Amino acid sequence: MKKGTKIFFFTTGIIIFLVLVYSFGFDKILFYIDKTGYYFIPICGVWLVVYILNAYAWQLIIDNNSCSFTKLIAVSISSFAINYITPFVNLGGEPYRVLAVKEDIGLNKAVSSTLLYNMLHILSHLFLWIISIVLILYFYNLDSASFILLLISFIVILLIMLIFFIAHKKGVFKWLITISDKKLLTGLHKLLLKNKEKLEIIDKEIIFLFNEKQSVFWLALFIEFVSRVIMSFEFYFILNSIDINISVLDAIAINAVSSLIQNILFFMPMGLGAREGSLYLIMESLGLTPMLGIYVSVINRIREFFWIFIGLLLIQITGKRKYTINEIMDVNND
């Protein structure tokens, strides 16, 4: 990645990060870290495991030794940090992934692997929601309205999953060209046709992985799903830090429902408002004090600040050559 591009991502990210921290309040951050105590370490540590698994799933998709695993971890952390602070999902994080690894694996492979990883990332979320809905319907006592709502959500998510698998099997861009050939999508259709030759090359790699290397596809998807489940332990540790004992199943339910609502309201930077509201409702439905949802959302936010800061620093040390773990931990600029 060119130095100017790195400086742009880093500088823009730091400015937005500082604005967010200032708006949130530095004193407030220190107060809640102190209140959480030593539990703040596993709360943040959970996400290190998640990012390592994310990088491993991406490495399986790339299937190329030209890019080191430690670099993929650094790029993964940085890309998610950028996504946290941009108002639309993947507005900056996914292009950053492509730019960060294109010199190692080539532009086409960088684009196709990033696109396919992103789709697997979404699919793993869909699987989490599906399995969580089944568990909630089976283990929790729900009123009729909640039961019907979850059942409808189950059917809708299954249909979305079907669309994803069709797109993977036939080629994502080929599928997009077909469905965009409508009056309301003429702009998108023309743009896709203009870049058809390049997009066909990327599609071939996507189709090859899905149809010819299904074991890799399903392994990467499974790893992503496991990372989703591990995320749930953040809620387990947060509530245990204030002596609220919940089960792992409760933590998974909280993670699944809150993430579903936040993804519906994806256009809000860092899920402002959506997270607080969703957690408030979830705590109430679990028979806990609803205001606990506000506390959980605050700790979530502080954990995000921590990893955003780490991710932005890693932008500065992710260059052409491979980095060792020691170099990454030193966080030295180029």
Side-chain angles (χ1 to χ4, degrees):
M1 181 185 294
K2 293 180 180 179
K3 191 172 182 179
T5 305
K6 289 170 63 177
I7 292 173
F8 169 78
F9 276 107
F10 177 74
T11 305
T12 304
I14 283 292
I15 291 172
I16 297 174
F17 172 74
L18 291 175
V19 170
L20 290 171
V21 170
Y22 178 78
S23 301
F24 192 84
F26 192 69
D27 291 342
K28 187 178 178 182
I29 291 173
L30 293 178
F31 171 80
Y32 277 96
I33 290 176
D34 181 65
K35 187 176 179 65
T36 307
Y38 66 86
Y39 271 100
F40 191 70
I41 296 173
I43 288 169
C44 291
V46 162
W47 281 83
L48 177 59
V49 177
V50 170
Y51 289 135
I52 290 172
L53 290 175
N54 292 158
Y56 182 46
W58 189 22
Q59 186 183 54
L60 288 173
I61 294 170
I62 292 174
D63 191 27
N64 190 317
N65 294 325
S66 299
C67 196
S68 71
F69 184 54
T70 50
K71 179 175 180 177
L72 292 180
I73 294 173
V75 172
S76 294
I77 294 172
S78 297
S79 65
F80 282 119
I82 294 169
N83 282 337
Y84 275 134
I85 57 179
T86 49
F88 297 97
V89 174
N90 301 337
L91 179 64
E94 304 318 308
Y96 173 77
R97 280 179 183 262
V98 174
L99 293 171
V101 301
K102 71 173 185 177
E103 293 166 344
D104 298 295
I105 61 176
L107 180 60
N108 289 337
K109 189 69 173 178
V111 173
S112 63
S113 65
T114 297
L115 176 64
L116 190 48
Y117 170 76
N118 201 39
M119 290 188 169
L120 284 177
H121 194 67
I122 296 172
L123 271 176
S124 68
H125 229 152
L126 297 176
F127 271 107
L128 176 70
W129 292 336
I130 284 290
I131 293 173
S132 296
I133 288 173
V134 172
L135 293 174
I136 291 170
L137 291 175
Y138 184 80
F139 287 104
Y140 293 90
N141 294 320
L142 304 172
D143 55 40
S144 298
S146 298
F147 182 86
I148 293 172
L149 183 61
L150 283 176
L151 196 59
I152 293 173
S153 300
F154 182 85
I155 294 170
V156 171
I157 294 169
L158 278 181
L159 290 174
I160 295 173
M161 289 176 69
L162 178 62
I163 292 172
F164 265 90
F165 280 111
I166 291 173
H168 276 75
K169 188 173 183 179
K170 295 185 177 181
V172 175
F173 292 108
K174 181 180 179 180
W175 178 76
L176 283 175
I177 289 172
T178 302
I179 67 169
S180 65
D181 190 15
K182 309 292 181 183
K183 290 184 178 180
L184 295 176
L185 299 172
T186 52
L188 175 62
H189 187 70
K190 289 179 181 179
L191 180 63
L192 292 172
L193 287 178
K194 184 178 179 180
N195 298 280
K196 187 176 179 181
E197 291 184 7
K198 294 179 181 178
L199 297 178
E200 283 178 347
I201 296 173
I202 297 171
D203 258 349
K204 285 180 181 179
E205 294 196 36
I206 294 172
I207 294 170
F208 176 74
L209 177 64
F210 185 73
N211 293 330
E212 305 298 328
K213 300 185 70 175
Q214 288 196 10
S215 60
V216 174
F217 176 89
W218 287 107
L219 177 58
L221 180 58
F222 176 73
I223 290 169
E224 276 294 302
F225 173 76
V226 170
S227 75
R228 296 288 186 184
V229 174
I230 290 175
M231 287 179 194
S232 305
F233 281 90
E234 177 183 12
F235 298 98
Y236 180 85
F237 289 130
I238 290 175
L239 289 171
N240 272 271
S241 71
I242 52 174
D243 298 322
I244 303 295
N245 296 317
I246 63 169
S247 66
V248 173
L249 180 59
D250 290 336
I252 293 173
I254 294 170
N255 179 28
V257 176
S258 65
S259 66
L260 176 59
I261 296 174
Q262 287 178 71
N263 276 273
I264 292 173
L265 300 175
F266 64 90
F267 55 87
M268 304 180 73
M270 296 183 71
L272 293 176
R275 176 180 308 174
E276 288 76 6
S278 64
L279 288 170
Y280 185 95
L281 293 173
I282 295 166
M283 294 302 161
E284 186 176 29
S285 63
L286 290 175
L288 299 171
T289 304
M291 288 302 295
L292 284 173
I294 307 300
Y295 173 77
V296 172
S297 68
V298 170
I299 303 302
N300 277 159
R301 195 78 64 198
I302 295 171
R303 182 267 303 162
E304 284 180 354
F305 287 149
F306 173 81
W307 281 110
I308 288 171
F309 181 69
I310 296 298
L312 294 176
L313 288 181
L314 288 174
I315 288 175
Q316 286 295 83
I317 69 167
T318 307
K320 292 183 179 181
R321 65 185 182 84
K322 299 179 181 179
Y323 289 86
T324 65
I325 292 178
N326 289 333
E327 287 176 309
I328 288 178
M329 296 305 293
D330 288 338
V331 196
N332 293 320
N333 292 337
D334 288 343

